[in-house]
Amino acid sequence: MNKEEISLFDEQQFETHDKKFELKNVIEDDNLIKSKDRVQHHGEVFTPKWMVKKMLAEPSIQEKLHNLHATFFEPSAGEGAFLKEILHQKLNHVDQISNKTTWKNNALWALMSIYAIELLEDNLIKAKQAMMDIFINHYQAFIQKELSSNTDLYKSAKYVINANIVQGNTLTFKNSEEKLIEFREWIPYENKVKQEIFTYKSLFNNDDINDVNANEGQLSLFGDIENDDSKASKPVLITKVYEK
């Protein structure tokens, strides 16, 4: 074998059809109770995965899970049992309807449709991280490329999760800083998105003049909120939503 043949052999690139990234199952902790103290003081008992799946299997819920813009709200998120499964199933739908060009936008719209409140900070941190992990896993399995924390997509996904999954008490409508719980509504605008801040309290009967977007009458948590463009932010590309 001559020198040229050896060089060609050493530099040869062997192709493989094996995927570098595989879609993982949503892993759940089987412990439904952290401590008796937390049960007594906060009524904290987590929902088992089999029950989450059964509840989400209802035909009317499945229809919503196949709608990128249909919103879900979890008033007591815990460590995110429902949030994780909802996001996982929504992203399964995104995987089915998207190509590598449209996946990012569709996935962010799916993420923007999921809202939650959690009282306890340690649970909140775990729920947010779990949602980010699921988002990253779906991206990498579909695109077959690592999602860097320096990318616009990563930064936008993290921004949306922080805006939609928040600390607070659903009974008092306030967070630990005694401020009204706030969310962002994500408004499609041509091929971009606008943000409009509203409070959790504004979804219910109230005449609080200090409330943002207070409404007369009760709104459905899954319904449409009337948009006031004067209160909405300037439209931006959905993958750059973190830039506000």
Side-chain angles (χ1 to χ4, degrees), residues 101-220:
T101 301
T102 60
W103 193 94
K104 293 179 182 179
N105 282 18
N106 288 340
L108 284 173
W109 281 122
L111 188 62
M112 287 173 171
S113 72
I114 303 171
Y115 295 85
I117 297 172
E118 170 53 32
L119 177 65
L120 303 177
E121 286 285 355
D122 60 335
N123 287 343
L124 183 69
I125 291 170
K126 287 187 176 182
K128 287 183 176 182
Q129 186 58 57
M131 292 185 73
M132 194 69 202
D133 290 344
I134 289 170
F135 188 90
I136 292 170
N137 179 227
H138 272 267
Y139 169 86
Q140 293 183 164
F142 189 86
I143 304 295
Q144 286 300 299
K145 180 181 178 182
E146 185 175 356
L147 180 58
S148 168
S149 60
N150 294 322
T151 61
D152 288 334
L153 180 62
Y154 183 99
K155 292 176 182 177
S156 289
K158 184 176 180 180
Y159 176 77
V160 171
I161 290 172
N162 284 331
N164 281 21
I165 316 301
V166 301
Q167 189 280 328
N169 186 327
T170 55
L171 299 179
T172 65
F173 304 103
K174 295 181 179 181
N175 58 28
S176 58
E177 297 177 350
E178 289 300 310
K179 295 179 180 179
L180 288 173
I181 298 167
E182 290 185 350
F183 288 113
R184 281 173 171 77
E185 182 187 9
W186 311 97
I187 307 167
Y189 183 83
E190 297 177 352
N191 63 338
K192 297 182 179 181
V193 62
K194 292 182 178 182
Q195 302 177 47
E196 182 176 336
I197 295 175
F198 68 96
T199 66
Y200 173 59
K201 189 176 182 182
S202 71
L203 298 172
F204 301 88
N205 277 318
N206 71 87
D207 55 1
D208 189 342
I209 60 173
N210 295 318
D211 198 359
V212 179
N213 295 350
N215 293 280
E216 293 184 3
Q218 185 171 349
L219 291 179
S220 167

Side-chain angles (χ1 to χ4, degrees), residues 74-88:
E74 171 56 81
S76 183
E79 293 183 351
F82 278 98
L83 302 180
K84 290 183 285 187
E85 189 61 31
I86 289 169
L87 180 59
H88 179 57

Side-chain angles (χ1 to χ4, degrees), residues 64 69-73 115 185 198 203 219-227:
K64 298 293 186 183
H69 298 282
T71 54
F72 286 80
F73 173 72
Y115 295 85
E185 182 187 9
F198 68 96
L203 298 172
L219 291 179
S220 167
L221 291 171
F222 302 97
D224 294 327
I225 299 172
E226 291 186 5
N227 300 328

